Amino acid sequence: MRLFFFGLMLSSLGAGCVAAFLVRRAEASGHTKWACGYAIINWIQAMLGSLGMNNAGYGLCRYGVIPNPAFNIWYSALAFCRLLLYLVASFWMQTLIASRLDLLEQSSNRSYRSGCFRRLMWAQVFGAAGVLLPIAGVLFYSAYNNSNNVTSIIIFATSMWSLIAIGGITLLCNWAASIVAICSFRKSYSELRRICRLAEANEAPISARSSLRRARRFAGLQGLGVSFSLLFTVLLVPARVFSAVLYGYDSLKVVLFLIQAFDALGNAVAVLLLSGSHRMAKVERSQGSQCGCWKVEKAEHSRNQQTSHEDVNWTRKVEELSMRGMTLRSLLQFYQENLPSMPDWKYAPKEHKTRDVVRRAIIPLTSREECAFSVSAFNKDGPKRAQVMVTHNWGNLFSDLLAAVLSDALQECSFSLPAELLQEDCAFLQDLLAKMGRLDETYWICAFAVNQHISICHSNPYDRDPFTNQLHPVCQCNSTNIVDPDGRSASSEINKFDDMLRLLATTGGCRQVIAVDKSLDLFRRAWCVAEIAEAKRLQMDQSLKLWSKATLQGRARTLENLDVRDMRASSEKDKELILGKIQDVDDFNAKLQVLIFDPKSGLVATWNAMDSLQQIGEVGRLIRWGLADAGSGKVWKAWESHN
C-alpha cells in the first residue's frame, strides 16, 4: 500500500508538472489554453486517485465507484468526484481530437468523419449524465438513511445495474469515437503517402517533397497518439474493477496498479504532444497590452451633427455602400476577361498596382454608367451584402491584392502560392474554389465598391504608369467629383468607412481581411490603419494575409516605431481628417502597437503562431493541393517559389 501510494503520488506529480508547463504556455494560442485546461483536470483527478486509496481491512487499492465495505460516505463522495473528473477529462480530450478532425476536413475539403465523431462524443455526454445520476441518488439516499432495509437494497441494486448498463454503453461510445479518429488519421496518412509517391514520380521540387514527408509523419503521430490513448482507456476500466475484487495475486495487482499509475502520466504526456506547446516559446503579456483597448461605443455618425434630412441621406448612403460586395466569381471574371481586354493598355501582373488598375480599367469600364464597378453591368453576379471587408493599400500590386483575397477563400495564411498559380493558371484556381464551394463568398474592396466617378476620376495629380512614367489619363464622363474637405458630405462615398464598418459589424457576419503588401507599407497608410483600428474597436474577426513568413520575419521589427502622425495619406486634408478623430495620439500609438504586436492577440502573433492544431491544418492543406495537382506538377512548381 505504501509503495502504491508513493507511485500514484509520483504519477500525479508528473501530471502536475505538465499542467504547470502548459499554464506557462497558455497564452501562446487558444488551442494551447484549451489543452492546459485538460492537463489541470487530469492532474486533479490523479491526486484524488492517490488520496482515494483505501486500506480498510483488505490491504487493497480501491478506485472509482467501488464502495468501501463499510460504505463510508466521504470515501464514496471522493470516488464520485474522481469519476466525474475522469468523465470531464475524457470529454475534454475528445474535444481536442474533434477540433483536429474539423480543421482537417475544412483545410482539405474532404470528409474525415468529424460529424460521426462528434455524435459519438455527445452520446458519451448523455451517457455520463446517466451514469452520474444513479450514483448521486445512492449517495444522497445513503446520507439520510443508514438502515439496511429492503428499500435501500432495491435502490442500491437498481442504481448499480443502471450504472453498469449505461456506463458500458458510454464506454463503448468512447472506444468507437477513438476508433473513428484513428481511422481518419490513418486515411490522411495514406493519402499523404500516395501524394508523396506521386510527387516523387513526377520529380516535384525538394521543398514540396520535404513538406509532404513532414505532414505524413505528423499525421501518423496523431493517429499513434489517439491509439495510445485508446489503449489506456481499454485497459484502465478493467484494471480498476479487478483491483477492487481480486484478493491475492500480488503480481497481477502490481500490473493493474502500473496501468492506473501510468494512465494519468500518459494522458499528461499525450496532451503535451497534442498541444504542440513544447515547441513554442513562453509568451509573456506585453507591458503595452495593459493600456486601454478599443471598445464598441454607442453608434454615432463620424461627422458633426447635421440636419435630420442630411442624416437620412447619410444613413441611406452607408446602407448602400454596405451592399456593394462582389463575389469571388465576379472578381476572377474581372481578372480573366475585363482586365486583359482593355484597349490602349496592357496589364502586367508583376508591375501594375491597384491604383493603375483603377485608373486604366475600373474607371474606363464604368465611365458610361458613371457608377461603382460592383453595381455596373460588368458585375454579372450583381452587388451583394459584404461578408468580408478587405483592407488594402492602392500601392500594392493588384495581383497580390487578388491573391490575398484568394488565400482567404483557400484558407491559406500567406498568398505567395495563390499569386503564383494566379499567373500560371487562373482557371485551375477557379476550378479548385468551385469544388470547395467558395466562389459565392462576397468581398468588399473599395476600388470596386466606391463610385470613382464622384471622387477621383477627373483629376490625377500623382498616379503614373510604371513603364512610361506618364500620368494616367483622366475620365471624360459627365459626373462631378465631390469636394469634401471636412468629411461631412452626405453624398460622398469615401467618408463613411467607419459607419459602414459599424453597420456590417452590428448586423452580423462580417469580418476583416488585411491584405499586406511585401514591404508592409500598408501599416504606414493612414486610411488603412484607421480601418484596422476601427474594425478592432468593433471586435470584428481580423486575419492578416502576408506574402510569406519570410516577409514577416524580415520586416516586422520595422513597425515598432509606428506613429500615426508620420503616416501617409493621399492628401494632407485626409490625414488631418483622420488625426482629428483621434483624441490622444500617443494613446492611439500605444494601442496600435498592442494591436500589431501583442503576444496574445496581436495581428503578428496570431499570424505567426504554429501549434499542433495549425499543423493539422497544414496536413489538410497539403492533401488538398496534392489532390488538386493530380500529377500535373503545376502546384509543386509554384510551391517551390512559395517556399
Side-chain angles (χ1 to χ4, degrees):
M1 282 297 298
R2 188 175 294 110
L3 180 63
F4 285 179
F5 175 77
F6 284 123
L8 287 177
M9 288 298 291
L10 286 174
S11 175
S12 63
L13 175 64
C17 290
V18 171
F21 179 84
L22 286 174
V23 166
R24 294 174 66 85
R25 298 296 192 277
E27 300 293 340
S29 68
H31 180 70
T32 306
K33 187 179 296 184
W34 191 249
C36 173
Y38 170 83
I40 292 174
I41 292 177
N42 181 64
W43 169 52
I44 296 174
Q45 190 257 143
M47 286 195 301
L48 289 181
S50 57
L51 295 175
M53 293 181 62
N54 179 29
N55 193 26
Y58 289 94
L60 297 174
C61 190
R62 293 183 176 272
Y63 286 90
V65 298
I66 305 299
N68 189 317
F71 201 71
N72 185 298
I73 187 62
W74 295 109
Y75 174 77
S76 299
L78 182 64
F80 177 78
C81 290
R82 190 186 178 196
L83 175 62
L84 176 61
L85 287 174
Y86 180 79
L87 294 173
V88 170
S90 177
F91 178 75
W92 203 299
M93 172 64 80
Q94 294 207 341
T95 60
L96 292 172
I97 298 173
S99 64
R100 281 163 162 66
L101 295 180
D102 289 341
L103 187 57
L104 188 60
E105 283 193 346
Q106 293 171 11
S107 57
S108 66
N109 197 37
R110 292 177 66 79
S111 173
Y112 287 98
R113 304 184 184 90
S114 66
C116 176
F117 183 88
R118 285 194 174 276
R119 285 191 291 272
L120 288 169
M121 189 173 70
W122 283 108
Q124 295 171 59
V125 174
F126 293 118
V131 168
L132 294 175
L133 287 176
I135 300 174
V138 170
L139 292 176
F140 180 80
Y141 185 83
S142 302
Y144 293 97
N145 191 345
N146 295 322
S147 62
N148 295 321
N149 54 30
V150 176
T151 303
S152 300
I153 296 174
I154 294 175
I155 291 176
F156 177 77
T158 303
S159 300
M160 290 305 299
W161 279 111
S162 300
L163 169 65
I164 293 171
I166 301 175
I169 295 173
T170 304
L171 187 62
L172 290 175
C173 289
N174 182 279
W175 293 352
S178 298
I179 292 171
V180 168
I182 293 169
C183 292
S184 297
F185 288 124
R186 172 65 183 174
K187 178 183 176 181
S188 66
Y189 176 84
S190 300
E191 288 177 335
L192 282 169
R193 184 172 61 180
R194 179 163 55 89
I195 293 170
C196 280
R197 290 175 179 172
L198 195 60
E200 291 172 358
N202 288 276
E203 298 182 351
I206 295 176
S207 60
R209 283 181 283 172
S210 176
S211 297
L212 287 168
R213 284 194 292 268
R214 284 198 305 268
R216 181 185 62 185
R217 183 166 55 250
F218 184 77
L221 288 174
Q222 293 290 299
L224 187 63
V226 179
S227 301
F228 185 74
S229 175
L230 174 62
L231 176 63
F232 268 111
T233 303
V234 169
L235 294 177
L236 182 63
V237 174
R240 288 183 175 176
V241 173
F242 290 153
S243 66
V245 299
L246 288 176
Y247 302 92
Y249 303 104
D250 292 340
S251 59
L252 182 57
K253 284 194 293 184
V254 171
V255 173
L256 298 175
F257 156 74
L258 290 175
I259 292 174
Q260 297 175 76
F262 281 118
D263 174 61
L265 192 59
N267 285 334
V269 173
V271 76
L272 178 65
L273 296 176
L274 283 171
S275 69
S277 58
H278 59 288
R279 298 184 306 272
M280 304 176 72
K282 176 187 173 183
V283 176
E284 297 285 0
R285 189 171 179 84
S286 64
Q287 189 174 7
S289 64
Q290 300 301 322
C291 17
C293 59
W294 285 287
K295 297 181 180 180
V296 178
E297 299 173 355
K298 183 178 179 180
E300 57 182 10
H301 293 321
S302 56
R303 70 198 194 312
N304 295 335
Q305 187 65 34
Q306 302 181 16
T307 64
S308 59
H309 177 68
E310 290 174 324
D311 282 339
V312 170
N313 290 337
W314 183 284
T315 303
R316 184 182 295 115
K317 179 61 72 173
V318 170
E319 294 173 349
E320 180 185 338
L321 284 170
S322 69
M323 297 297 295
R324 290 188 185 174
M326 286 181 63
T327 64
L328 199 54
R329 184 186 296 103
S330 295
L331 290 171
L332 288 172
Q333 184 182 38
F334 170 81
Y335 186 81
Q336 292 175 287
E337 300 176 10
N338 302 128
L339 200 53
S341 63
M342 294 304 300
D344 304 324
W345 186 67
K346 183 175 177 57
Y347 171 67
K350 294 185 178 181
E351 296 293 335
H352 284 132
K353 300 177 171 59
T354 301
R355 63 165 63 100
D356 301 317
V357 172
V358 171
R359 293 288 184 180
R360 299 306 298 266
I362 293 176
I363 289 178
L365 287 171
T366 57
S367 61
R368 179 176 298 178
E369 298 176 79
E370 299 180 6
C371 64
F373 187 91
S374 63
V375 298
S376 71
F378 292 98
N379 182 12
K380 299 296 178 60
D381 284 350
K384 299 182 181 299
R385 186 189 185 280
Q387 297 174 327
V388 184
M389 172 75 180
V390 181
T391 293
H392 64 102
N393 174 16
W394 278 28
N396 191 15
L397 291 176
F398 179 75
S399 59
D400 284 354
L401 166 62
L402 185 55
V405 173
L406 291 172
S407 71
D408 178 72
L410 292 166
Q411 298 175 336
E412 298 280 318
C413 292
S414 58
F415 59 82
S416 54
L417 179 59
E420 293 288 336
L421 292 172
L422 187 64
Q423 296 184 32
E424 295 294 329
D425 193 344
C426 185
F428 168 78
L429 273 179
Q430 186 166 4
D431 182 61
L432 178 59
L433 288 164
K435 291 178 180 178
M436 295 176 66
R438 304 286 185 180
L439 288 178
D440 290 322
E441 291 198 5
T442 306
Y443 293 83
W444 198 97
I445 303 174
C446 62
F448 295 96
V450 171
N451 185 357
Q452 309 299 338
H453 298 283
I454 61 173
S455 55
I456 66 169
C457 77
H458 290 325
S459 62
N460 180 20
Y462 51 81
D463 290 340
R464 297 177 180 271
D465 187 273
F467 294 103
T468 66
N469 201 34
Q470 298 294 317
L471 291 171
H472 291 302
V474 296
C475 181
Q476 302 301 320
C477 68
N478 297 321
S479 64
T480 301
N481 291 172
I482 297 174
V483 179
D484 183 33
D486 57 2
R488 297 195 300 172
S489 171
S491 301
S492 174
E493 295 185 354
I494 60 175
N495 60 356
K496 299 176 175 64
F497 288 152
D498 288 356
D499 288 348
M500 189 192 67
L501 276 175
R502 184 182 298 111
L503 176 64
L504 291 172
T506 54
T507 54
C510 188
R511 53 190 177 86
Q512 184 185 43
V513 165
I514 305 167
V516 185
D517 51 291
K518 296 177 185 177
S519 62
L520 307 187
D521 191 52
L522 173 138
F523 293 106
R524 295 181 178 86
R525 304 296 299 182
W527 277 114
C528 297
V529 170
E531 288 180 16
I532 294 171
E534 181 66 11
K536 177 68 174 179
R537 189 182 69 83
L538 294 169
Q539 300 178 352
M540 294 176 67
D541 290 337
Q542 297 175 302
S543 60
L544 207 62
K545 301 300 175 185
L546 293 158
W547 173 261
S548 67
K549 190 172 184 177
T551 301
L552 180 65
Q553 292 173 335
R555 296 180 178 269
R557 293 296 102 185
T558 64
L559 304 178
E560 290 182 345
N561 297 318
L562 282 180
D563 190 330
V564 69
R565 287 168 291 208
D566 298 331
M567 294 181 185
R568 302 186 298 275
S570 56
S571 68
E572 283 300 317
K573 291 182 179 179
D574 286 345
K575 183 176 177 179
E576 291 173 4
L577 181 64
I578 295 171
L579 290 174
K581 297 179 181 179
I582 303 174
Q583 296 179 352
D584 188 335
V585 174
D586 292 330
D587 182 61
F588 183 90
N589 288 332
K591 292 176 181 177
L592 185 61
Q593 289 295 314
V594 172
L595 172 63
I596 298 174
F597 290 110
D598 182 75
K600 179 181 179 182
S601 59
L603 295 173
V604 170
T606 303
W607 192 92
N608 200 28
M610 188 66 174
D611 56 27
S612 60
L613 183 62
Q614 291 165 314
Q615 284 187 300
I616 278 290
E618 183 75 2
V619 169
R621 173 174 170 254
L622 282 163
I623 291 174
R624 183 189 66 214
W625 286 118
L627 295 177
D629 182 80
S632 66
K634 64 180 68 176
V635 168
W636 305 129
K637 181 180 177 181
W639 188 278
E640 185 176 30
S641 174
H642 162 68
N643 279 351

